[in-house]
Amino acid sequence: MCAVGNAVAGWPAPDWSQPWNAPFAADGAAVRAACERGVPLPQALNHHIGTAGPRFVPQAELPEGVAYEQFIFETGSVPTREGLHDFFNGLVWARFPATKRLLNRLQAAQIAQAGVGQVRGPVRDAITLFDENAVLLQAPDAIWDALIAREWTRLFVDLRSLWGQTRLVLFGHALTEKLVSPYKSITGHVYRVPVPPELGGDVAAWDRWLAARLTAAELATKPFTPLPVLGVPGWWPANQDPAFYDDATVFRPPRTAFAPTT
């Protein structure tokens, strides 16, 4: 938690040296330090992130009965609770402002079309999944082929040397929150369109590329494939042992189609 008079009480400190935190480390450390001085989280985000993202406001400014996504769309302000989940949401806004705005516009359009019900529908479900758990990947074709096929040993052991040519960035803020206290089964959803290699490691360019291509129709197809992120070489010491990937409860084989019985 991050609040005046109760600075970060009960809030585990992210390890900014971990590779999954690299794109957010500078902003994250600055915002965290402000919170430790007692600055409320929305204020700390506004000060340290600057104009790249929206305005962050206390959760209490969200009127009762108004959908969170609709409020952001109409006001340009993001209601923010004290805690890790919204902390990481703010950091993703700082790195991917164009994509986050697009996702919000798509959510607002779905709400305008169908209202806010107990069931979100396939497009809103997919937008939420992207927002909370997406992973972006730039990698050689062999890595992609093994990932899509869920050939885990080939992906992480046989092709291990190719991971030096790979860039992977976490977009989902719930995913980054989970990794504050890592455990083996944490799984992200890789967007199944490769980040163009000509973009290099320029995350701002990734943001522009992603915002220019995502559509509601594409998201409705759930264009994701699972990735147990602590299997990524260099992301977790235990995965240096090939036996790490033998755990079928985490590194699950692809689903097989069963022939109909007659």
Side-chain angles (χ1 to χ4, degrees):
M1 189 157 307
C2 172
V4 174
N6 192 26
V8 298
W11 178 0
D15 181 354
W16 299 115
S17 70
Q18 294 289 3
W20 54 79
N21 282 330
F24 314 106
D27 286 336
V31 173
R32 166 83 185 192
C35 288
E36 289 176 344
R37 296 192 299 270
V39 178
L41 180 56
Q43 182 180 333
L45 288 168
N46 288 331
H47 178 74
H48 290 284
I49 289 176
T51 59
R55 176 173 171 261
F56 298 92
V57 298
Q59 181 72 16
E61 293 195 19
L62 177 64
E64 186 175 352
V66 175
Y68 169 83
E69 298 92 343
Q70 191 67 31
F71 181 82
I72 296 172
F73 179 73
E74 292 177 353
T75 68
S77 299
V78 177
T80 301
R81 299 161 297 184
E82 303 288 343
L84 278 175
H85 190 81
D86 286 9
F87 169 80
F88 279 110
N89 185 45
L91 297 183
V92 176
W93 267 105
R95 284 292 167 266
F96 291 95
T99 304
K100 291 283 279 186
R101 288 191 182 97
L102 171 65
L103 293 175
N104 178 248
R105 289 197 301 272
L106 295 176
Q107 286 275 25
Q110 291 296 308
I111 291 172
Q113 177 180 325
V116 179
Q118 293 184 343
V119 178
R120 287 177 174 263
V123 176
R124 290 193 68 203
D125 278 346
I127 295 169
T128 299
L129 181 61
F130 196 107
D131 197 37
E132 298 276 353
N133 216 50
V135 176
L136 304 176
L137 179 62
Q138 184 186 74
D141 289 345
I143 293 286
W144 275 100
D145 292 345
L147 173 63
I148 299 301
R150 305 189 194 183
E151 295 175 346
W152 304 115
T153 298
R154 179 167 173 258
L155 175 65
F156 292 124
V157 179
D158 300 344
L159 300 176
R160 202 168 186 87
S161 63
L162 287 184
W163 281 88
Q165 304 171 36
T166 297
R167 293 186 177 94
L168 188 150
V169 174
L170 306 187
F171 183 97
H173 56 282
L175 183 58
T176 52
E177 179 190 14
K178 291 175 186 175
L179 282 162
V180 172
S181 301
Y183 54 91
K184 186 177 182 179
S185 62
I186 295 175
T187 299
H189 287 75
V190 177
Y191 178 48
R192 290 180 62 146
V193 178
V195 176
E198 60 269 21
L199 298 184
D202 184 350
V203 174
W206 290 31
D207 181 36
R208 293 190 293 272
W209 165 78
L210 193 58
R213 65 154 293 116
L214 280 177
T215 65
E218 181 193 21
L219 286 166
T221 69
K222 296 186 178 178
F224 310 110
T225 195
L227 174 68
V229 292
L230 292 183
V232 174
W235 279 35
W236 199 241
N239 75 32
Q240 296 179 46
D241 182 352
F244 182 83
Y245 304 105
D246 293 340
D247 185 350
T249 65
V250 175
F251 300 96
R252 299 179 181 180
R255 295 173 181 169
T256 56
F258 292 93
T261 58
T262 58

